[in-house]
Amino acid sequence: MEIELTVNNVSGLHSRPAGKLVNTAVKFKSEIMLYNGDKTANAKRILSLLKLGASKGSRIKIVIEGEDEEEAMTEIKNLFYNNFGE
C-alpha cells in the first residue's frame, strides 16, 4: 500500500511526533517506509525518521507492505490527519 500525506503540524516531524509514529509502527509486522524527496526512513526507527528532515508542509510518501498493512496504514494516516496529537 502506498499514500502521500502532508506534515501539517507546526514543528514538523520532530522528536515527539516521530516517537508517536515509531510507537505506532512497531505494533505491526509490516514493513513501513517513509520517503521525503531522496531521503528514506524506516518508521520503526526514530533516528531514521528524524533524518528525513520533514518540516511543516513536507509531502511524505508512505509505503507499507505486509500481512497487517491495511490496519497499519489506517493508524498512520490517523496520526498525520490528527497532526500527531499536537
Side-chain angles (χ1 to χ4, degrees):
M1 298 184 75
E2 184 176 313
I3 191 170
E4 258 192 48
L5 297 171
T6 302
V7 176
N8 287 316
N9 53 315
V10 176
S11 302
L13 196 56
H14 63 91
S15 59
R16 191 174 358 188
K20 287 183 178 185
L21 185 52
V22 168
N23 288 338
T24 299
V26 297
K27 297 188 303 186
F28 300 101
K29 293 180 181 178
S30 295
E31 180 179 273
I32 304 169
M33 301 299 293
L34 279 69
Y35 301 87
N36 184 21
D38 62 347
K39 297 177 183 175
T40 304
N42 182 330
K44 297 180 181 181
R45 297 194 170 104
I46 194 161
L47 291 178
S48 183
L49 289 174
L50 294 174
K51 289 180 182 178
L52 276 180
S55 57
K56 180 179 170 120
S58 294
R59 292 284 296 165
I60 304 296
K61 182 168 89 171
I62 301 165
V63 178
I64 304 176
E65 295 180 11
E67 62 188 73
D68 52 5
E69 63 188 20
E70 289 181 27
E71 186 180 348
M73 182 64 82
T74 297
E75 287 201 31
I76 289 173
K77 285 193 305 189
N78 284 337
L79 281 175
F80 274 82
Y81 294 155
N82 294 310
N83 296 325
F84 301 91
E86 293 191 341

